[in-house]
Amino acid sequence: MALIYFRKAGVYVPANVLHRYILWLVGRAIKERELREIAIGLWSPELPSTVPLKVDEALATAYSMGLHRGWIRWDTDGSRRQIFDADRRKVCKVQKDGALLTVIDEVELRKQLGGLSPRIFQIHESHMAYVEEWVSVVTPRTYSYHDLDRIRLALVEQLYRVEEWDVGSFINDRAVPFSDEARESIPELVSRMGLNSLPVSKVHGDLVQSNTSLTKGHKPVLYDWEYSRSCVVTHDVWFYLYHGLLCARASVELSYFFDELERITAWVLPKSVDLIALHLIHLYEREALLLWNVNIVDSSFALERLGESIKEARHLLSEKCIALGDVNCGISYER
């Protein structure tokens, strides 16, 4: 099978569906008013002299599960390879080597989500793969409070089932382990928040703008559930804010970020809670996921950036303690 590799997009396209891939790129660019999507998708085409064996295996798995021609996105930053059906009806996801979480766990979770998640047609347990519906959507590219609130309401109705976890259970009985620094700091952070336990639930785990879409009827559809796990229940909406405001727009005032965080987390946490402490707990949760993921993809840049955010949050908390005259704060901010 002749394959064309588009280096910038990290996509292998069989020659016999190249025209369908280009038509999809053009249609997507027009719909999203992003002409650069065409340039990215067609950047540096080449006929590779050697193709990773796993490319052929992933394509063969997808075809055996009912995809009649398609292209594969190889260099993704998640734990799944993605094969897109040329007829734009289905997407096959195959687990990468080294991924610790199975697709079975993800499929079981998504059964309860209804239209919040693309429908799964078929699962192939031996290949750790499944086929899901290709949904035509309008993707929000920038942070929007209204979009986030719509998504939050859908998650509350369909996903979040809050349990009260004591701090010891939270930091020790985890599928994704915390760093030593996090284990040492989280109990005191919880105490600073004035809580005796933590409201924990299964969450999406990677709720960024590019993983969220709205149908034409403005109903949310969420993608890429492979990092779903138990976290403090506000993790998803916090990460949507963090990624959309602090990561994408570095010039945003921190006071604005915390105002938005208080506004969107008031549904589950008292308004008097220490938001810097909550922010730091969620940063540690994100760090744990990236540390777990480092054997699957290169997370070094994301970890470096997250480390700076952790250092900044600890500094803010330390300054706040000094301002309040709290000599028992106990949290230093050196990393």
Side-chain angles (χ1 to χ4, degrees):
M1 180 190 303
L3 293 173
I4 303 169
Y5 180 54
F6 295 96
R7 184 175 301 279
K8 185 72 172 180
V11 173
Y12 286 92
V13 183
N16 64 335
V17 297
L18 178 60
H19 63 294
R20 290 176 177 263
Y21 173 67
I22 294 173
L23 286 173
W24 170 70
L25 278 176
V26 171
R28 177 183 173 188
I30 292 173
K31 182 171 66 174
E32 298 180 358
R33 299 179 182 177
E34 283 281 356
L35 294 180
R36 69 188 184 93
E37 294 290 338
I38 300 176
I40 292 173
L42 297 177
W43 188 278
S44 301
E46 61 182 58
L47 293 171
S49 57
T50 59
V51 176
L53 178 63
K54 294 295 183 180
V55 170
D56 289 336
E57 290 182 3
L59 286 170
T61 297
Y63 296 162
S64 73
M65 297 175 72
L67 273 73
H68 304 292
R69 302 179 305 276
W71 55 88
I72 179 168
R73 186 180 175 201
W74 186 251
D75 299 328
T76 64
D77 60 356
S79 66
R80 311 277 189 260
R81 311 276 187 207
Q82 300 179 58
I83 302 94
F84 296 86
D85 184 14
D87 294 330
R88 286 180 273 182
R89 295 178 182 176
K90 300 175 180 179
V91 180
C92 180
K93 295 189 175 182
V94 182
Q95 180 173 275
K96 290 182 181 178
D97 291 341
L100 298 178
L101 302 180
T102 68
V103 299
I104 300 170
D105 295 332
E106 180 187 342
V107 170
E108 286 300 314
L109 172 72
R110 288 172 58 179
K111 283 181 180 179
Q112 71 189 58
L113 298 177
L116 189 63
S117 167
R119 184 160 51 109
I120 293 178
F121 295 114
Q122 188 178 356
I123 179 172
H124 198 312
E125 293 187 15
S126 61
H127 286 282
M128 286 298 170
Y130 60 85
V131 175
E132 69 180 20
E133 181 181 14
W134 183 330
V135 181
S136 296
V137 294
V138 178
T139 305
R141 287 295 183 184
T142 57
Y143 165 74
S144 164
Y145 174 81
H146 295 292
D147 289 342
L148 176 56
D149 201 43
R150 189 180 291 114
I151 291 166
R152 178 190 65 79
L153 289 172
L155 287 168
V156 168
E157 292 175 359
Q158 299 184 56
L159 175 64
Y160 297 152
R161 301 291 182 269
V162 178
E163 304 175 46
E164 293 293 326
W165 283 22
D166 65 77
V167 179
S169 297
F170 181 70
I171 62 177
N172 293 317
D173 297 334
R174 304 280 292 166
V176 182
F178 285 111
S179 66
D180 291 340
E181 177 183 298
R183 290 172 183 271
E184 181 180 343
S185 299
I186 286 175
E188 187 163 359
L189 293 172
V190 174
S191 177
R192 286 188 59 81
M193 291 169 63
L195 301 177
N196 295 320
S197 59
L198 285 168
V200 174
S201 173
K202 280 283 189 181
V203 300
H204 178 280
D206 197 25
L207 194 67
V208 296
Q209 284 72 18
S210 58
N211 284 343
T212 66
S213 300
L214 301 175
T215 66
K216 292 180 179 179
H218 295 285
K219 294 182 179 179
V221 180
L222 309 184
Y223 299 97
D224 296 339
W225 287 85
E226 62 261 39
Y227 297 138
S228 179
R229 63 202 195 283
S230 294
C231 287
V232 176
V233 69
T234 51
H235 179 276
D236 284 339
V237 292
W238 163 82
F239 190 57
Y240 189 100
L241 280 170
Y242 172 75
H243 191 271
L245 295 181
L246 297 188
C247 293
R249 294 163 50 191
S251 61
V252 71
E253 291 289 337
L254 278 174
S255 59
Y256 177 69
F257 169 75
F258 286 116
D259 285 346
E260 288 287 88
L261 184 61
E262 181 177 36
R263 183 182 182 189
I264 201 67
T265 58
W267 59 280
V268 70
L269 294 171
K271 289 187 177 181
S272 59
V273 73
D274 190 321
L275 292 176
I276 301 176
L278 175 65
H279 174 53
L280 190 46
I281 288 174
H282 286 318
L283 286 170
Y284 283 134
E285 288 180 322
R286 188 67 187 171
E287 180 186 52
L289 174 63
L290 292 177
L291 289 171
W292 164 82
N293 200 40
V294 75
N295 292 325
I296 305 168
V297 296
D298 181 8
S299 303
S300 55
F301 176 75
L303 277 168
E304 180 181 351
R305 190 167 187 175
L306 194 66
E308 291 301 313
S309 294
I310 290 173
K311 181 178 179 180
E312 180 182 40
R314 289 167 70 94
H315 183 46
L316 285 171
L317 200 59
S318 180
E319 285 188 333
K320 183 177 180 181
C321 291
I322 293 171
L324 295 175
D326 182 1
V327 296
N328 295 315
C329 176
I331 296 180
S332 60
Y333 57 85
E334 293 83 3
R335 283 183 72 79

